[in-house]
Amino acid sequence: MTGSRAGCAAAAAIFLAACGVYLSTLSAGFAIDDGRIIVGNPLISRLEYLPDLFRCGFWDQDAGGEARTWTDRAMKASYRPLTVASFNLNFAGARLLAGPPACAHCRAIGHTPAALAPWSYHLANLLLHGLVSVLVFVVAGGLGVRPAAAVAAGLVFALHPVHVDAVAWVTQRGELLAAGWSLTAWYCHLRGGRLRWCGPVLYLLGLLSKETCLGLPLLVAGSDVYLGRFQYPWAGRGAGAGAGAEGTGVTGGGAPGARPAVGWAVYVAYALAVGLYLLARRLVLGGLEVPTDIRYFSGVSSLVAALTVARFMVTQYAWGFLGGRVATDCQRPAFPDAAPDDPVAWLALGALGGLLVFSVVGWARRRPAAAALGVVFCGLLPVSHLLARIGVLGAGRLLYVPSIGVALGLGGLIGRSWERGGRGGRVAVAGLLLALGAATAAGARQWHSQLTAADRTLGATPDNPLGMGNRAVALAEAGQPRAARALLERAMRLDPSLALLWYNYALVLIDLTEYAAARAALDRAQALDVDPPVLAHLGRARILDAEGKRPEARREIEAALALDDRSTSAWMSLGEWELAAGNPAAALAAMDRALPWILADGGAELQVGLALRRLGRTTEAGIHLRRATELWPASELAWNGLGLGLEHTGAGGEADAAYRRAIALRAGWADGHQNLGVLLRTQGRVAEAIAEFRSALAAQPGLAEAHAGLAGLLEAEAPREALEHLRSFLAAAQARPELARMIGPVQRRIAVIERRLAGPPPH
């Protein structure tokens, strides 16, 4: 059917259905690991880095292939070069569409932020899912499935809600690529002839995308047994297993009769593909398995691991196959280990064993339901902790490949209902497909942002520490540090061993000016040794700078650079320090060491914009400052920076609106009121300016600039009050070296006012 006009129409319908339910993701942003694998990954920013992707791990971000920004343990966990290569090509395509950067400074240093448009990455995932869904339909046809069942299998796969995490989460593109390459390899094998030899090559490409397709060789051999063309060792050359099965539903041989046997050489080729992948993994990562100390079942007996996995698969994965939601990451304490005497776990293990026996025996006897179940088992094998221990108990995204078997099984039932159930059967089929599509579309909308994605995870597993951590980060970015703090504290009570939680907790405490507690949290994170000490040095630098200990803060930044002179965070911190010290040229030079490798960071855009503004390059500054508000729409710092950038460009109205937006985001923010007061003073709106300066001092009585600004407006009408504000300025300026140049003029103004108040000298 697949080559006919009707087959082409069916394939088009499947493709459109698969894409249609995920259209909402085109307006979504990046979430969770996207920030590390895409937004913060310089390896995707240049086509010339494509060869380097094959020399480093999935989490590596160094063009030289050396682990530098995360622990060596995490670097050695995954090898998926083709997935990262797809992000690289995605970036190149988006950059081509966006054209050269509008900012001359960006063009000079090779900074191309527009190429990180999230919609383009979501579009690629959406199209890939459509192609994989069509491949399910095509492979079903290659297996001899009846047309109605083949179409139903493609539609079920296209619309099944278990795929939401794999499609809507950009980082999980590896699942789509692995499934796509594997299905293509399987179809080539089913077609036979010389095309069969393309299968092992395509399978290798799937392994280089993600290791979840590792079970394909078993599936290939099993389908040969099922179709009656497996060459048993005791059979004569060219003799297969006998006649093919009739096409009775899920999977079946097309025309009955003897089929040409498949020689063992093709299976050897698949084994060779596995060997090449494992060799590449060992050469690049230094090992074949996930490192011992980040394996999920590290230090746990094999019996407990088997019972835990069996119980999890029966209670969670089975629910996911039925359309229920499986958490983004499933782990302790939400999913505790099974005890050796847990009856539910033993029942689950027995049920899985029975289903496996049924699948193997039924496959050999050419039972369609057993064949579909076998596809599910082959897909689950790489994530079952049997071949290798992985770093998580399970996850919804890991069901993308196994669900091919679910689609084939349900497709057979739906196809039979469509053909034999009459009008009632067809109405039921249409209702089922609509329900699947509606559930998938609703799930896709939950991936709109970091916050909604975290809420999706917590909706499935409320006691998930990583989910809480992701939501806390989103809350902090949205300007809700107290809510973020409470959530992080709850997460750390559940799992105090996650250093990332402690590090994020320290950053939130810094925002809340609780510096002693922040230092303790940084020490705890460093002791757990999940992130390099670079992050701890930079965190301490932020604390010292906030405390006014600027020389000590600089030494911490320099210590971070001594550990890693390619750290973008360290160079940006140095640039921010230089900018605060009144050295915009030195600040921009430091930031330029980092900016080409920073693809989307509101803080970086803000600091670069402020440095360009100080250098008088207002047009370029405006571009960066506007982008900062796009990346940080809930940040008062970004809007305040935009106000500063617009203030002297003739856009006073926009600057006024930007300052007021900053104040609205952070009520009672002294700097926002101070800057708005300065703008209003230049516009001649004296009464409003005085009110803003007073608001700034009410929030921060020691703000020197507000004292000076208010004194200038009050000097004529209220000289005594102006004098008090000037004296307050001098007191505050003593602790701020950058204000030293203003002390002399202020002292002279004080002397002038004092003489005026004393009156003319007596004659």
Side-chain angles (χ1 to χ4, degrees):
M1 175 185 173
T2 54
S4 65
R5 181 175 298 179
C8 292
I14 292 169
F15 181 83
L16 292 175
C19 295
V21 292
Y22 289 101
L23 284 177
S24 63
T25 63
L26 296 180
S27 62
F30 293 118
I32 311 181
D33 291 338
D34 294 346
R36 179 171 190 81
I37 300 299
I38 300 171
V39 177
N41 189 356
L43 284 179
I44 75 168
S45 64
R46 299 284 190 279
L47 286 174
E48 55 264 33
Y49 291 154
L50 281 172
D52 293 299
L53 300 177
F54 292 85
R55 299 198 296 268
C56 58
F58 182 62
W59 295 95
D60 199 352
Q61 299 174 7
D62 180 18
E66 300 175 5
R68 68 180 180 91
T69 55
W70 215 34
T71 57
D72 288 339
R73 300 193 303 268
M75 296 295 181
K76 297 177 186 299
S78 305
Y79 182 61
R80 303 163 189 168
L82 285 188
T83 298
V84 187
S86 76
F87 298 140
N88 184 297
L89 296 174
N90 213 148
F91 188 94
R95 180 171 55 189
L96 186 63
L97 290 174
C103 174
H105 183 69
C106 289
R107 292 196 297 272
I109 65 173
H111 181 46
T112 54
L116 266 182
W119 69 266
S120 65
Y121 296 82
H122 285 290
L123 177 62
N125 274 26
L126 181 152
L127 296 176
L128 280 171
H129 177 60
L131 291 173
V132 174
S133 301
V134 172
L135 283 169
V136 171
F137 161 67
V138 171
V139 166
L143 288 166
V145 170
R146 288 192 303 271
V151 173
L155 286 172
V156 168
F157 189 87
L159 301 174
H160 204 297
V162 80
H163 301 149
V164 167
D165 288 359
V167 181
W169 186 359
V170 178
T171 299
Q172 300 308 318
R173 186 179 296 174
E175 298 286 350
L176 314 181
L177 291 171
W181 290 121
S182 298
L183 284 168
T184 308
W186 192 11
Y187 180 70
C188 289
H189 183 82
L190 293 172
R191 285 295 301 270
R194 293 182 179 178
L195 197 60
R196 179 181 297 152
W197 294 100
C198 296
V201 177
L202 295 168
Y203 171 55
L204 178 59
L205 296 178
L207 289 173
L208 293 174
S209 300
K210 193 169 183 180
E211 55 278 3
T212 46
C213 63
L214 194 61
L216 179 66
L218 294 177
L219 192 57
V220 166
S223 63
D224 285 338
V225 171
Y226 185 79
L227 295 174
R229 59 187 191 184
F230 184 82
Q231 182 178 347
Y232 290 96
W234 55 84
R237 182 169 182 173
E246 290 187 19
T248 55
V250 183
T251 54
R259 293 174 175 271
V262 176
W264 282 84
V266 70
Y267 305 132
V268 173
Y270 276 97
L272 181 61
V274 174
L276 289 174
Y277 167 74
L278 294 177
L279 176 62
R281 181 185 176 95
R282 183 175 183 83
L283 290 175
V284 173
L285 304 183
L288 298 180
E289 289 192 283
V290 172
T292 303
D293 51 356
I294 61 171
R295 295 177 193 170
Y296 186 78
F297 286 115
S298 179
V300 176
S301 69
S302 297
L303 176 61
V304 169
L307 290 172
T308 304
V309 171
R311 186 182 63 186
F312 176 79
M313 286 187 173
V314 170
T315 59
Q316 297 297 315
Y317 280 171
W319 173 242
F321 288 142
L322 292 174
R325 184 190 303 177
V326 181
T328 303
D329 282 300
C330 302
Q331 58 181 7
R332 311 176 187 94
F335 299 94
D337 291 348
D341 58 351
D342 186 341
V344 175
W346 279 105
L347 285 173
L349 186 61
L352 288 177
L355 289 173
L356 182 59
V357 171
F358 167 76
S359 174
V360 173
V361 174
W363 210 335
R365 295 181 178 179
R366 306 182 190 108
R367 299 286 176 84
L373 188 60
V375 177
V376 174
F377 276 119
C378 287
L380 288 175
L381 183 62
V383 297
S384 64
H385 296 265
L386 292 177
L387 295 179
R389 298 289 173 87
I390 59 178
V392 65
L393 175 57
R397 61 187 179 274
L398 301 180
L399 298 183
Y400 192 80
V401 173
S403 65
I404 295 170
V406 175
L408 292 172
L410 284 178
L413 297 175
I414 291 173
R416 186 178 297 110
S417 297
W418 184 268
E419 292 176 340
R420 304 176 184 177
R423 180 178 297 179
R426 295 189 177 193
V427 169
V429 166
L432 174 62
L433 293 177
L434 286 174
L436 289 175
T440 299
R445 287 193 294 271
Q446 293 175 326
W447 277 95
H448 181 73
S449 66
Q450 170 88 353
L451 186 59
T452 58
D455 287 341
R456 173 179 169 81
T457 297
L458 294 176
T461 52
D463 293 331
N464 187 322
L466 283 179
M468 293 179 187
N470 290 330
R471 192 175 197 280
V473 170
L475 289 171
E477 292 175 351
Q480 302 179 51
R482 296 191 183 280
R485 172 184 178 171
L487 197 57
L488 284 168
E489 289 173 347
R490 181 182 168 197
M492 290 185 295
R493 284 195 295 270
L494 290 171
D495 190 348
S497 66
L498 290 176
L500 187 60
L501 296 178
W502 286 98
Y503 181 71
N504 288 329
Y505 185 58
L507 297 182
V508 169
L509 291 173
I510 291 172
D511 289 339
L512 294 172
T513 68
E514 298 182 21
Y515 302 130
R519 281 193 178 89
L522 285 172
D523 292 341
R524 180 67 179 271
Q526 190 171 353
L528 291 169
D529 194 32
V530 169
D531 281 298
V534 169
L535 299 176
H537 282 298
L538 296 180
R540 293 190 187 96
R542 285 187 58 186
I543 295 171
L544 291 166
D545 189 65
E547 293 175 336
K549 302 175 182 177
R550 292 185 51 76
E552 294 90 338
R554 171 144 190 156
R555 283 196 288 272
E556 289 288 348
I557 296 171
E558 290 171 346
L561 286 170
L563 288 169
D564 184 0
D565 64 357
R566 294 167 295 182
S567 169
T568 56
S569 298
W571 283 111
M572 287 304 303
S573 296
L574 180 60
E576 189 173 350
W577 190 95
E578 293 285 3
L579 187 61
N583 304 317
L588 192 61
M591 294 175 190
D592 284 351
R593 295 286 299 270
L595 197 60
W597 314 114
I598 297 176
L599 305 184
D601 185 331
E605 299 289 345
L606 171 63
Q607 296 303 323
V608 171
L610 293 176
L612 290 168
R613 168 185 169 270
R614 294 277 294 275
L615 291 170
R617 298 160 66 175
T618 55
T619 301
E620 296 166 278
I623 293 171
H624 284 277
L625 294 171
R626 289 186 190 279
R627 179 155 175 77
T629 61
E630 294 170 2
L631 294 170
W632 273 7
S635 169
E636 74 280 3
L637 296 175
W639 288 102
N640 182 70
L642 180 59
L644 291 171
L646 295 173
E647 190 171 307
H648 301 294
T649 62
E654 288 185 73
D656 185 298
Y659 285 137
R660 295 186 189 278
R661 178 72 178 272
I663 294 169
L665 287 169
R666 184 174 172 183
W669 186 38
D671 287 344
H673 286 291
Q674 149 70 19
N675 291 332
L676 180 56
V678 172
L679 174 65
L680 294 171
R681 183 182 61 190
T682 60
Q683 295 176 340
R685 299 156 65 179
V686 175
E688 293 176 78
I690 289 174
E692 293 300 330
F693 285 133
R694 292 193 188 282
S695 295
L697 291 173
Q700 185 178 335
L703 185 58
E705 292 89 344
H707 282 295
L710 192 55
L713 295 175
L714 296 174
E715 187 172 339
E717 301 295 332
R720 294 187 184 280
E721 185 178 354
L723 185 61
E724 292 302 318
H725 282 296
L726 289 174
R727 288 169 177 163
S728 297
F729 170 86
L730 289 178
Q734 300 301 320
R736 295 178 57 185
E738 68 273 18
L739 298 179
R741 59 184 178 81
M742 297 178 60
I743 292 178
V746 168
Q747 289 173 334
R748 289 191 289 272
R749 285 178 61 191
I750 290 174
V752 170
I753 295 174
E754 287 176 338
R755 284 196 297 271
R756 282 176 51 197
L757 292 174
H763 293 288

